[in-house]
Amino acid sequence: MTVSGPVRPARAAGRTAACAAVTALLTGCSVLGDVRREPAPPTPRPAAEGATPGSTSNAWVVERRPGSVDVRRGGVRVPADFAQQTVEFADAARGAALFTRCRPAGCAARLLVTADGGRTWQERDHPLPQADNQQLHVGAGGAVLLLAEPVAWFLSGDAGRTFRRIPYDPAGPPVEYRRLLGEYQVCCDGDERPRIVRYPGGGGAQPVPAAPPLPGRVGAVAARPGAAELWAAALDAGSPGAAVSRDQGRTWTGTALPGAAGGLVRLRLLVSANGADVWLLGEREDRTRFPTVWRWEGAGWRQLLANGHPDGYLSAVAIGDGLLAVTGPGGGGLAGERWTPTDWPANGWIRLLPDGTLEVADSRDGSVWLGAGDGVDRRWAQLVLR
């Protein structure tokens, strides 16, 4: 993953896309349903027994929708004038939510965590609940990182029970933030020639032994989980280039990109949670346009046209089964040789969690969707915090 620019803004919450047979997805022979289909509105239920006002254990009401979608509604008790700012998960079970109330004098923050996929939430003491800017970031393993700008960062490895204070530096985020973004990254912001670095557990940035033989600026790197393979991509005057290393960056081999053309402004490398699939996306200046897509075939790259894809584009993740899940303003779908619309019950900004779960944020209503599973086989849950 590449780090480029300031600390990412806090994300609002979300929605995604759906299920089908792999053979149909690869051949493009079937359409899975109306991608804009809205789920039926949930029916309010009485609160779970034992969920009393003021309780720190916030019980969800779990409903079942057609298509095996769980709706986990309510249960977060914060004052009404606090707005839901960020909801992030580390996996299908562990996540955190940040609510804020901002005034000219600064922002007050309330922090909640869950260990059961949002069925219950517990409020934690925020280590600095009043600051100019409040942010929440959740990393692999359930790490919770808070920014209380411009005072300090705070890191918790025990679901917010305790925090370690990290000094604030206006020049950029600390190494603890960088580690949340992945073991291998492109570093650093503002460098004339970016380089690939590794963040080992507990350590700072270590440059890989050799730079990939690519002209232009390296803009993306990805690693296969638990393996020695790395992929790097660079742009030179809008034209993409790529290289692969099979020994953790000691040596590199340049790789051709069939159909590559100029006019690109950003490259993204995506790897499925099981490490089986690697994708390269080339985005243009108008990042709402569908990107150019390549898939790694074991010895080289293959361009996939995703025939029939929409023009609009928002985000994409590698879901396994040789497929790319893409979301956009017209709904979600799966990219391969052809574009296959999905009838998954959510569509919005999509993230792939380390355990393969999909997290989708719906900025329209603040709900979050979790799609646990692998490939096109997903069990969906909608989280409506209040």
Side-chain angles (χ1 to χ4, degrees):
M1 180 176 292
T2 180
V3 180
S4 56
V7 177
R8 59 193 166 100
R11 290 191 291 269
R15 225 171 195 178
T16 315
C19 229
V22 176
T23 53
L25 297 171
L26 294 175
T27 61
C29 294
S30 69
V31 175
L32 306 182
D34 181 356
V35 296
R36 286 168 285 213
R37 176 177 58 82
E38 292 292 335
T43 303
R45 307 280 186 184
E49 184 178 355
T52 57
S55 168
T56 58
S57 178
N58 298 291
W60 285 89
V61 176
V62 178
E63 305 169 18
R64 180 73 68 176
R65 282 185 178 163
S68 298
V69 175
D70 287 331
V71 181
R72 301 162 190 172
R73 174 176 292 277
V76 171
R77 297 180 182 87
V78 297
D81 57 349
F82 277 74
Q84 179 182 318
Q85 176 175 300
T86 309
V87 180
E88 286 194 3
F89 277 76
D91 51 39
R94 293 172 292 182
L98 186 71
F99 286 76
T100 56
R101 182 186 60 205
C102 293
R103 302 285 189 265
C107 293
R110 305 285 289 264
L111 173 67
L112 299 101
V113 300
T114 181
D116 56 11
R119 292 173 178 84
T120 60
W121 291 82
Q122 294 76 43
E123 185 164 5
R124 301 293 194 215
D125 290 334
H126 193 291
L128 191 64
Q130 189 71 35
D132 290 350
N133 175 37
Q134 303 276 9
Q135 290 190 21
L136 162 71
H137 307 278
V138 176
V144 175
L145 182 65
L146 303 174
L147 170 61
E149 195 174 25
V151 181
W153 295 77
F154 298 91
L155 179 65
S156 174
D158 57 7
R161 295 179 180 85
T162 61
F163 284 91
R164 175 169 64 87
R165 185 185 180 107
I166 303 166
Y168 175 80
D169 184 350
V175 65
E176 288 83 358
Y177 170 80
R178 303 285 187 185
R179 285 198 210 105
L180 294 186
L181 303 180
E183 183 179 3
Y184 290 91
Q185 297 172 37
V186 176
C187 184
C188 288
D189 300 340
D191 284 5
E192 182 177 351
R193 190 166 183 83
R195 63 192 189 278
I196 297 174
V197 300
R198 177 175 176 255
Y199 285 91
Q206 298 177 356
V208 296
L214 296 171
R217 294 174 61 87
V218 175
V221 64
R224 197 188 296 276
E229 287 176 292
L230 300 178
W231 290 265
L235 280 175
D236 184 21
S239 296
V244 62
S245 171
R246 293 181 170 85
D247 52 13
Q248 297 183 312
R250 293 176 179 83
T251 61
W252 294 86
T253 302
T255 55
L257 291 170
L264 302 182
V265 300
R266 183 184 183 219
L267 297 173
R268 298 181 63 210
L269 280 162
L270 307 176
V271 182
S272 60
N274 62 8
D277 298 339
V278 181
W279 297 78
L280 175 62
L281 277 58
E283 298 178 351
R284 295 167 180 80
E285 186 171 356
D286 181 358
R287 294 184 181 177
T288 66
R289 293 177 57 194
F290 200 89
T292 303
V293 175
W294 293 272
R295 189 176 66 199
W296 181 253
E297 299 287 344
W301 295 100
R302 179 184 178 197
Q303 185 179 16
L304 295 180
L305 300 179
N307 291 322
H309 70 73
D311 292 333
Y313 165 75
L314 177 62
S315 59
V317 293
I319 64 168
D321 286 346
L323 295 166
L324 191 70
V326 182
T327 63
L334 301 173
E337 290 288 352
R338 297 180 180 272
W339 172 262
T340 304
T342 62
D343 63 356
W344 287 346
N347 183 61
W349 188 267
I350 189 169
R351 297 175 62 217
L352 175 68
L353 306 183
D355 67 345
T357 298
L358 302 181
E359 179 185 356
V360 191
D362 188 342
S363 59
R364 296 174 300 174
D365 63 7
S367 64
V368 173
W369 291 83
L370 295 177
D374 182 63
V376 298
D377 184 15
R378 299 283 164 178
R379 301 175 304 280
W380 287 99
Q382 184 188 26
L383 281 59
V384 184
L385 274 70
R386 65 180 185 182

